Amino acid sequence: MNNPKRIDSDYSDNYTETGLWDKLSHFAKSAGREVVEKALILFYAASDPDTPKRSKMIIFSALGYFILPLDAIPDFTPILGFSDDLGAIALALATVAAHIKSEHRQAAKSKTAQWFGEA
């Protein structure tokens, strides 16, 4: 069930906007720029009223998995801790790619630059 290549709709129950911002604010540096930026792209896509409901459910599942405190590889595990989260996020991005707009990418890039500095 905790296979990062499978996005289970049950994980969407773990998603809340507050939970996402809490996770990002506490773990941004250890998760790394790539995980944070990709998670933010999904967040901004899900916040867009034009994004179809099915795509939002996929996004909420991936972000719910990211927020979940216990997952396949615990987030506090050095080096590998967020690799399963990145896998779930990357799969969601690939699945909903047709609904990712340049505005979503730009908003994520701007927020990531605030936290990490310019790339």
Side-chain angles (χ1 to χ4, degrees), residues 23 27 30-31 35 66 74-75 77 79-87:
K23 179 85 173 212
F27 292 99
S30 58
V35 172
F66 176 65
D75 295 337
T77 304
I79 302 170
L80 298 175
F82 288 94
S83 61
D84 59 325
D85 300 290
L86 180 58

Side-chain angles (χ1 to χ4, degrees), residues 27-110:
F27 292 99
K29 297 291 184 191
S30 58
R33 183 182 204 103
E34 182 179 11
V35 172
V36 169
E37 189 165 340
K38 286 179 178 2
L40 288 171
I41 291 169
L42 290 175
F43 168 75
Y44 290 118
S47 300
D48 187 333
D50 293 339
T51 301
K53 187 174 183 172
R54 183 179 188 293
S55 294
K56 287 182 181 189
M57 289 308 300
I58 292 167
I59 291 168
F60 293 147
S61 292
L63 293 178
Y65 184 83
F66 176 65
I67 293 169
L68 193 67
L70 299 173
D71 51 24
I73 301 172
D75 295 337
F76 56 82
T77 304
I79 302 170
L80 298 175
F82 288 94
S83 61
D84 59 325
D85 300 290
L86 180 58
I89 289 169
L91 180 59
L93 277 169
T95 304
V96 302
H99 305 290
I100 303 292
K101 298 177 182 176
S102 61
E103 304 94 79
H104 305 148
R105 291 185 187 283
Q106 187 55 46
K109 186 175 184 165
S110 294

